[in-house]
Amino acid sequence: MPDTVPATHREVRLAARPEGPLTPGHFRTVEVPVPDPGPGQVLVRNRLMSVVAVMDTLVRGDASLPMPPHTPGEVMTGPAIGTVTTAPGTGLHPGDLVSHNLGWREYAVIDESDAQRIDPGALPDPAAHLSQGLPAWLGIVRGAEVRPSDTVFVTAAAGGVGSLAGQFARLRGATRVIGSTSSLRKGRRLVDELGYDAVVLRDAGPIEDQLREAAPDGIDAVFDNVGGEQLLAALALARRGARIALVGTLSSQISGGFSSPVEFDTGSLILRGITVRGISGIDHLDAIPQWFQEFSRGLREGTLTFPHVRLPGIDQASLALCELLEGRHVGAVLVEL
């Protein structure tokens, strides 16, 4: 039976754009009436939502991304899954599980076309529908083109994307997978639980020196989610014919903005036959069925895991985003609503 709909619910709004580090004080949680769906709309009780690093760029008003920035005074948005409670005149029904992009609130009114029905049995844990597996898969398979016997370097390996990218590289036959992260604690989890062979630490000395020690024979494929020094180190160690996938720019993104300029020797890349390729999910929508099939099979067979942490209650949403940006957790960061 669907839940009884209350008169009010809570939602999280952006209170002000940050000028320095993002804090929970930049948000406020308010109680407002539960909205009524109009023609062609459904009312969804949100159950889980995810927070991702790009939200920091969006709350700062950066308009360079192919998604609208968040506006002070308005409700935040982001990936969520929930159950339909009211769906008059639509093809959805109360109790249906759906995914959508109106998280950060306990109830959401969604156009039917924006609510993607989820088969509850499609994945072992419905929370995995909020994984960042698609960019991880795309970067490994179509960007870095990981092959059997490759040595692979994954930057930001403990994040929601990197914690899956290393696993996909292993499934593609990589014989050595190296990840970068910010702490020894997270590095140990990468090696002990997520199939990494070695790690380099962001603040433990020059990345290139650490990477040279971890990969003395060089690197064949790079999944770069950071840019900056880590990308330059990867390029320095890249073997002839190496493939470099550019997936994110966390080196600049966590301080606002998406631009991450670096200076490197293009002549050296030409002579070594190195491919550098930017990967954006919007250009690879045709890959969704294949990645989802591999993701689902891997979770069921135990060859993949979905690393994540869950924080309870909508009041934890802003803290969850701040902790993500501070690098507190391994894997995806979810909020149970």
Side-chain angles (χ1 to χ4, degrees):
M1 292 290 292
D3 294 340
T4 301
V5 178
T8 62
H9 76 130
R10 292 174 297 170
E11 59 187 26
V12 180
R13 298 178 180 177
L14 178 63
R17 294 204 190 282
E19 295 184 0
L22 190 67
T23 71
H26 290 106
F27 304 87
R28 62 190 179 99
T29 303
V30 299
E31 187 167 335
V32 296
V34 173
D36 293 320
Q41 295 182 321
V42 299
L43 179 66
V44 174
R45 172 62 168 100
N46 286 334
R47 302 297 180 182
L48 282 169
M49 56 167 273
S50 68
V51 296
V52 292
V54 72
M55 290 176 178
D56 185 61
T57 302
L58 297 177
V59 300
R60 296 175 190 276
D62 191 315
S64 64
L65 296 174
M67 57 190 76
H70 299 302
T71 302
E74 294 188 0
V75 188
M76 293 283 291
T77 60
I81 58 176
T83 51
V84 174
T85 62
T86 308
T90 71
L92 294 169
H93 304 89
D96 283 350
L97 186 66
V98 297
S99 64
H100 58 87
N101 199 48
L102 292 184
W104 295 82
R105 67 204 80 192
E106 292 173 321
Y107 283 84
V109 165
I110 305 163
D111 291 340
E112 180 184 9
S113 59
D114 294 329
Q116 181 67 43
R117 183 187 278 112
I118 293 174
D119 176 0
L123 297 175
D125 180 355
H129 287 281
L130 292 175
S131 83
Q132 294 168 272
L134 179 58
W137 187 92
L138 287 173
I140 291 297
V141 176
R142 292 194 173 182
E145 298 179 353
V146 172
R147 304 163 186 170
S149 78
D150 275 352
T151 293
V152 180
F153 179 45
V154 177
T155 65
V161 179
S163 60
L164 287 168
Q167 295 183 70
F168 282 128
R170 188 67 75 190
L171 287 179
R172 289 279 152 174
T175 56
R176 186 163 178 79
V177 183
I178 303 161
S180 72
T181 190
S182 60
S183 72
L184 186 58
R185 174 185 63 85
K186 292 195 291 186
R188 287 183 179 133
R189 286 196 60 186
L190 291 176
V191 173
D192 294 343
E193 302 174 20
L194 298 176
Y196 280 83
D197 297 289
V199 295
V200 299
L201 301 180
R202 188 180 62 200
D203 299 321
I207 296 294
E208 183 177 335
D209 292 347
Q210 295 182 66
L211 193 55
R212 194 174 298 278
E213 182 176 349
D217 296 325
I219 297 168
D220 302 293
V222 178
F223 180 103
D224 181 50
N225 200 29
V226 175
E229 180 192 3
Q230 298 192 36
L231 173 59
L232 291 177
L235 290 171
L237 272 292
R239 290 161 52 86
R240 178 168 183 80
R243 294 84 56 200
I244 317 293
L246 306 181
V247 183
T249 62
L250 287 174
S251 62
S252 62
Q253 195 170 308
I254 58 175
S255 59
F258 194 73
S259 176
S260 182
V262 294
E263 182 177 337
F264 54 84
D265 182 355
T266 55
S268 174
L269 301 188
I270 293 169
L271 292 175
R272 287 183 286 161
I274 293 172
T275 300
V276 179
R277 179 181 292 122
I279 291 290
S280 175
I282 198 169
D283 297 322
H284 297 273
L285 298 180
D286 64 297
I288 292 176
Q290 183 181 355
W291 97 260
F292 190 82
Q293 181 183 49
E294 292 188 18
F295 185 49
S296 175
R297 183 172 63 246
L299 291 177
R300 294 186 183 283
E301 295 177 352
T303 55
L304 288 173
T305 64
F306 171 45
H308 68 284
V309 63
R310 304 190 195 199
L311 300 180
I314 195 169
D315 291 331
Q316 299 294 309
S318 58
L319 178 64
L321 177 55
C322 294
E323 289 186 348
L324 168 75
L325 296 172
E326 293 168 1
R328 297 277 191 91
H329 304 293
V330 171
V333 179
L334 309 181
V335 179
E336 293 183 303
L337 302 174

